[in-house]
Amino acid sequence: MSTFPGGTSLSFLDVYTSPAPDGICGGSPHMHTASTECYIAVGGRGQLHSLTSEGHRETDLEPGSITWFTPGTIHRAVNLDNARFVVLMSNAGLPEAGDAVMTFPSEYLESVERYREAAALPVGASDEELAIAAAKRRDLAVEGYLVIRDAMIAGDDGPLKRFRERAAEIVADRLSGWNAIVQDGPLAQAQNTLELLARMTSGDASHLDDAALVSGLEPARRFGMCGNLRAYDVAVH
């Protein structure tokens, strides 16, 4: 049995090409509460717009560029010219379990139910209907993002702090289920490596007889927050 290195998840991302209300083409600004994300640019030209306590930043991404960001970083994938990324996420399975909160306007963050209703895409809808719903969700997130960004540029970090507080409250009821994801994923891989090192130290290298190759994975295609995703199930194979 083998899982993807480091207990990470792997996706290919084609960043949305439709313009948001501010005229910028790209995805839904959002933040992860417990996971680190990495963008590896593999095609076209794009940017990562980000907000942290240090302020607003725009990072250019061209083929070969690599950037990653830690929990708490509000980020927005921007498509300048057919931007395509490979996306790596720590804690495979955890982001899919709700470790992301979009920057909706404050009234959508007042209750968990209202937030999740606005964040959900319709079940059983056609691709055309899903694309419309994803664009509507993106536009709502951009609306809230611009408020936080403009306040930060003006030297006011109040909206950023309030968003972080509400984001933590929105994911609070899911935290207990996240422990098992981390324990069975990245923690289990690290523990297994330590066990292998201990065995080799004692002269036992029998695990090398179990060498295996994994290939031929088929991606699941879906409308993600930042664009069209081809996500691979790399948990256990």
CSV table of all heavy atoms in Angstrom, one decimal, residues 175-211:
chain,number,residue,atom,x,y,z
A,175,LEU,N,-13.9,20.1,13.5
A,175,LEU,CA,-12.5,19.9,13.9
A,175,LEU,C,-12.3,18.5,14.5
A,175,LEU,O,-11.2,17.9,14.2
A,175,LEU,CB,-12.2,20.9,15.0
A,175,LEU,CG,-12.1,22.4,14.6
A,175,LEU,CD1,-11.8,23.3,15.8
A,175,LEU,CD2,-11.1,22.6,13.5
A,176,SER,N,-13.2,17.9,15.2
A,176,SER,CA,-13.0,16.6,15.7
A,176,SER,C,-12.7,15.6,14.7
A,176,SER,O,-12.0,14.6,14.8
A,176,SER,CB,-14.2,16.2,16.6
A,176,SER,OG,-15.4,16.2,15.8
A,177,GLY,N,-13.4,15.7,13.5
A,177,GLY,CA,-13.2,14.8,12.4
A,177,GLY,C,-11.9,14.9,11.7
A,177,GLY,O,-11.4,14.0,11.0
A,178,TRP,N,-11.3,16.1,11.9
A,178,TRP,CA,-10.0,16.4,11.2
A,178,TRP,C,-8.8,15.7,11.8
A,178,TRP,O,-7.8,15.4,11.1
A,178,TRP,CB,-9.7,17.9,11.1
A,178,TRP,CG,-10.7,18.6,10.3
A,178,TRP,CD1,-11.7,18.1,9.5
A,178,TRP,CD2,-10.7,20.1,10.1
A,178,TRP,NE1,-12.4,19.1,8.9
A,178,TRP,CE2,-11.8,20.3,9.2
A,178,TRP,CE3,-9.9,21.1,10.5
A,178,TRP,CZ2,-12.1,21.6,8.8
A,178,TRP,CZ3,-10.3,22.4,10.1
A,178,TRP,CH2,-11.3,22.7,9.2
A,179,ASN,N,-8.9,15.4,13.1
A,179,ASN,CA,-7.8,14.7,13.8
A,179,ASN,C,-7.5,13.4,13.1
A,179,ASN,O,-6.3,13.1,12.9
A,179,ASN,CB,-8.1,14.5,15.3
A,179,ASN,CG,-8.2,15.8,16.1
A,179,ASN,OD1,-7.4,16.7,15.7
A,179,ASN,ND2,-9.0,15.8,17.1
A,180,ALA,N,-8.5,12.6,12.8
A,180,ALA,CA,-8.3,11.3,12.2
A,180,ALA,C,-7.6,11.4,10.8
A,180,ALA,O,-6.8,10.6,10.4
A,180,ALA,CB,-9.6,10.5,12.1
A,181,ILE,N,-8.0,12.5,10.1
A,181,ILE,CA,-7.4,12.7,8.7
A,181,ILE,C,-5.9,12.9,8.8
A,181,ILE,O,-5.2,12.3,8.1
A,181,ILE,CB,-8.1,13.9,8.0
A,181,ILE,CG1,-9.6,13.5,7.7
A,181,ILE,CG2,-7.4,14.2,6.7
A,181,ILE,CD1,-10.4,14.7,7.2
A,182,VAL,N,-5.5,13.7,9.8
A,182,VAL,CA,-4.1,14.0,10.0
A,182,VAL,C,-3.4,12.8,10.5
A,182,VAL,O,-2.3,12.4,10.0
A,182,VAL,CB,-3.9,15.2,10.9
A,182,VAL,CG1,-2.4,15.5,11.2
A,182,VAL,CG2,-4.5,16.5,10.3
A,183,GLN,N,-4.0,12.1,11.4
A,183,GLN,CA,-3.3,10.9,12.0
A,183,GLN,C,-3.2,9.8,11.0
A,183,GLN,O,-2.1,9.1,11.0
A,183,GLN,CB,-4.2,10.4,13.2
A,183,GLN,CG,-4.1,11.4,14.4
A,183,GLN,CD,-5.1,11.0,15.5
A,183,GLN,OE1,-6.0,10.2,15.3
A,183,GLN,NE2,-5.0,11.6,16.6
A,184,ASP,N,-4.2,9.6,10.1
A,184,ASP,CA,-4.1,8.5,9.2
A,184,ASP,C,-3.3,8.9,7.9
A,184,ASP,O,-2.9,8.1,7.1
A,184,ASP,CB,-5.5,8.1,8.7
A,184,ASP,CG,-6.3,7.5,9.9
A,184,ASP,OD1,-5.7,7.1,10.9
A,184,ASP,OD2,-7.5,7.5,9.8
A,185,GLY,N,-3.0,10.2,7.8
A,185,GLY,CA,-2.3,10.7,6.6
A,185,GLY,C,-0.9,11.1,6.8
A,185,GLY,O,0.0,10.2,7.0
A,186,PRO,N,-0.6,12.4,7.0
A,186,PRO,CA,0.8,12.8,7.1
A,186,PRO,C,1.5,12.2,8.4
A,186,PRO,O,2.7,11.9,8.3
A,186,PRO,CB,0.7,14.3,7.2
A,186,PRO,CG,-0.7,14.6,7.5
A,186,PRO,CD,-1.5,13.5,6.9
A,187,LEU,N,0.7,12.1,9.5
A,187,LEU,CA,1.4,11.6,10.7
A,187,LEU,C,1.7,10.2,10.6
A,187,LEU,O,2.8,9.7,11.0
A,187,LEU,CB,0.4,11.8,11.9
A,187,LEU,CG,1.0,11.3,13.2
A,187,LEU,CD1,2.3,12.1,13.6
A,187,LEU,CD2,-0.1,11.6,14.4
A,188,ALA,N,0.8,9.4,10.0
A,188,ALA,CA,1.1,8.0,9.7
A,188,ALA,C,2.3,7.8,8.8
A,188,ALA,O,3.1,6.8,9.0
A,188,ALA,CB,-0.1,7.3,9.2
A,189,GLN,N,2.4,8.6,7.8
A,189,GLN,CA,3.6,8.5,6.9
A,189,GLN,C,4.9,8.8,7.6
A,189,GLN,O,5.9,8.1,7.5
A,189,GLN,CB,3.4,9.4,5.7
A,189,GLN,CG,2.5,8.9,4.6
A,189,GLN,CD,2.8,9.5,3.3
A,189,GLN,OE1,3.9,9.9,3.0
A,189,GLN,NE2,1.8,9.5,2.4
A,190,ALA,N,4.9,9.8,8.4
A,190,ALA,CA,6.1,10.2,9.2
A,190,ALA,C,6.5,9.1,10.2
A,190,ALA,O,7.7,8.7,10.3
A,190,ALA,CB,5.9,11.5,9.9
A,191,GLN,N,5.5,8.5,10.8
A,191,GLN,CA,5.8,7.5,11.8
A,191,GLN,C,6.3,6.2,11.1
A,191,GLN,O,7.2,5.5,11.6
A,191,GLN,CB,4.5,7.1,12.6
A,191,GLN,CG,4.1,8.2,13.6
A,191,GLN,CD,2.8,7.9,14.2
A,191,GLN,OE1,1.9,7.3,13.7
A,191,GLN,NE2,2.6,8.5,15.4
A,192,ASN,N,5.7,5.9,9.9
A,192,ASN,CA,6.2,4.8,9.1
A,192,ASN,C,7.7,5.0,8.7
A,192,ASN,O,8.5,4.0,8.8
A,192,ASN,CB,5.3,4.6,7.9
A,192,ASN,CG,5.8,3.4,7.1
A,192,ASN,OD1,5.7,2.2,7.5
A,192,ASN,ND2,6.2,3.7,5.8
A,193,THR,N,8.0,6.2,8.3
A,193,THR,CA,9.4,6.5,7.9
A,193,THR,C,10.4,6.3,9.1
A,193,THR,O,11.4,5.7,9.0
A,193,THR,CB,9.6,7.9,7.4
A,193,THR,OG1,8.7,8.0,6.2
A,193,THR,CG2,11.0,8.2,7.0
A,194,LEU,N,9.9,6.7,10.3
A,194,LEU,CA,10.8,6.5,11.5
A,194,LEU,C,10.9,5.1,11.8
A,194,LEU,O,12.0,4.6,12.2
A,194,LEU,CB,10.1,7.3,12.7
A,194,LEU,CG,10.2,8.8,12.6
A,194,LEU,CD1,9.4,9.4,13.8
A,194,LEU,CD2,11.6,9.3,12.6
A,195,GLU,N,9.9,4.3,11.6
A,195,GLU,CA,10.0,2.8,11.8
A,195,GLU,C,10.9,2.2,10.9
A,195,GLU,O,11.7,1.3,11.3
A,195,GLU,CB,8.6,2.2,11.7
A,195,GLU,CG,7.6,2.6,12.9
A,195,GLU,CD,6.2,2.2,12.6
A,195,GLU,OE1,6.0,1.5,11.6
A,195,GLU,OE2,5.3,2.5,13.4
A,196,LEU,N,10.9,2.6,9.6
A,196,LEU,CA,11.8,2.0,8.6
A,196,LEU,C,13.3,2.4,9.0
A,196,LEU,O,14.2,1.5,8.8
A,196,LEU,CB,11.5,2.6,7.2
A,196,LEU,CG,10.1,2.2,6.6
A,196,LEU,CD1,10.0,2.7,5.3
A,196,LEU,CD2,10.0,0.6,6.6
A,197,LEU,N,13.5,3.6,9.4
A,197,LEU,CA,14.8,4.0,9.8
A,197,LEU,C,15.3,3.2,11.0
A,197,LEU,O,16.5,2.8,11.0
A,197,LEU,CB,14.9,5.5,10.1
A,197,LEU,CG,14.6,6.5,9.0
A,197,LEU,CD1,14.6,7.9,9.5
A,197,LEU,CD2,15.6,6.3,7.8
A,198,ALA,N,14.4,2.9,11.9
A,198,ALA,CA,14.8,2.1,13.1
A,198,ALA,C,15.2,0.7,12.7
A,198,ALA,O,16.1,0.1,13.2
A,198,ALA,CB,13.7,2.2,14.1
A,199,ARG,N,14.4,0.2,11.8
A,199,ARG,CA,14.6,-1.2,11.3
A,199,ARG,C,16.0,-1.3,10.6
A,199,ARG,O,16.7,-2.2,10.8
A,199,ARG,CB,13.5,-1.7,10.4
A,199,ARG,CG,12.2,-2.0,11.2
A,199,ARG,CD,11.0,-2.2,10.3
A,199,ARG,NE,11.2,-3.2,9.3
A,199,ARG,CZ,10.3,-3.4,8.3
A,199,ARG,NH1,9.2,-2.8,8.3
A,199,ARG,NH2,10.6,-4.4,7.4
A,200,MET,N,16.2,-0.3,9.7
A,200,MET,CA,17.5,-0.4,9.0
A,200,MET,C,18.7,-0.2,9.9
A,200,MET,O,19.8,-0.7,9.7
A,200,MET,CB,17.5,0.7,7.9
A,200,MET,CG,16.6,0.3,6.7
A,200,MET,SD,16.9,1.4,5.2
A,200,MET,CE,16.2,2.9,5.9
A,201,THR,N,18.5,0.7,11.0
A,201,THR,CA,19.6,0.8,11.9
A,201,THR,C,19.9,-0.5,12.6
A,201,THR,O,21.1,-0.7,12.9
A,201,THR,CB,19.1,1.9,13.0
A,201,THR,OG1,18.9,3.1,12.4
A,201,THR,CG2,20.2,2.1,14.1
A,202,SER,N,18.9,-1.3,12.8
A,202,SER,CA,19.2,-2.6,13.4
A,202,SER,C,19.6,-3.7,12.4
A,202,SER,O,19.7,-4.9,12.7
A,202,SER,CB,17.9,-3.1,14.2
A,202,SER,OG,16.8,-3.3,13.3
A,203,GLY,N,19.7,-3.3,11.1
A,203,GLY,CA,20.1,-4.2,10.1
A,203,GLY,C,19.0,-4.9,9.3
A,203,GLY,O,19.3,-5.8,8.5
A,204,ASP,N,17.8,-4.5,9.5
A,204,ASP,CA,16.7,-5.1,8.8
A,204,ASP,C,16.2,-4.1,7.6
A,204,ASP,O,15.6,-3.1,7.9
A,204,ASP,CB,15.5,-5.3,9.7
A,204,ASP,CG,14.3,-5.8,9.1
A,204,ASP,OD1,14.3,-6.2,7.9
A,204,ASP,OD2,13.2,-5.9,9.8
A,205,ALA,N,16.5,-4.5,6.4
A,205,ALA,CA,16.0,-3.7,5.2
A,205,ALA,C,15.0,-4.5,4.4
A,205,ALA,O,14.9,-4.3,3.2
A,205,ALA,CB,17.2,-3.4,4.4
A,206,SER,N,14.3,-5.4,5.1
A,206,SER,CA,13.3,-6.3,4.3
A,206,SER,C,12.2,-5.5,3.7
A,206,SER,O,11.6,-6.1,2.7
A,206,SER,CB,12.8,-7.3,5.3
A,206,SER,OG,12.1,-6.7,6.4
A,207,HIS,N,11.9,-4.3,4.1
A,207,HIS,CA,10.9,-3.5,3.5
A,207,HIS,C,11.2,-3.2,2.0
A,207,HIS,O,10.2,-3.0,1.2
A,207,HIS,CB,10.6,-2.2,4.2
A,207,HIS,CG,11.8,-1.3,4.1
A,207,HIS,ND1,12.9,-1.4,4.9
A,207,HIS,CD2,11.9,-0.2,3.3
A,207,HIS,CE1,13.7,-0.4,4.6
A,207,HIS,NE2,13.2,0.4,3.7
A,208,LEU,N,12.4,-3.3,1.6
A,208,LEU,CA,12.8,-3.0,0.2
A,208,LEU,C,12.2,-4.1,-0.7
A,208,LEU,O,12.0,-3.8,-1.9
A,208,LEU,CB,14.3,-2.9,0.1
A,208,LEU,CG,15.0,-1.8,0.9
A,208,LEU,CD1,16.5,-1.9,0.7
A,208,LEU,CD2,14.4,-0.4,0.6
A,209,ASP,N,11.9,-5.3,-0.2
A,209,ASP,CA,11.3,-6.3,-1.0
A,209,ASP,C,9.9,-6.0,-1.4
A,209,ASP,O,9.3,-6.6,-2.3
A,209,ASP,CB,11.3,-7.7,-0.2
A,209,ASP,CG,12.8,-8.2,0.1
A,209,ASP,OD1,13.7,-7.8,-0.7
A,209,ASP,OD2,12.9,-8.9,1.1
A,210,ASP,N,9.3,-5.0,-0.7
A,210,ASP,CA,7.9,-4.7,-0.9
A,210,ASP,C,7.8,-3.5,-1.9
A,210,ASP,O,6.7,-2.8,-1.9
A,210,ASP,CB,7.2,-4.4,0.4
A,210,ASP,CG,7.2,-5.6,1.3
A,210,ASP,OD1,7.0,-6.7,0.8
A,210,ASP,OD2,7.3,-5.4,2.5
A,211,ALA,N,8.8,-3.1,-2.6
A,211,ALA,CA,8.8,-2.0,-3.4
A,211,ALA,C,7.6,-2.0,-4.4
A,211,ALA,O,7.3,-3.1,-4.9
A,211,ALA,CB,10.1,-1.9,-4.2
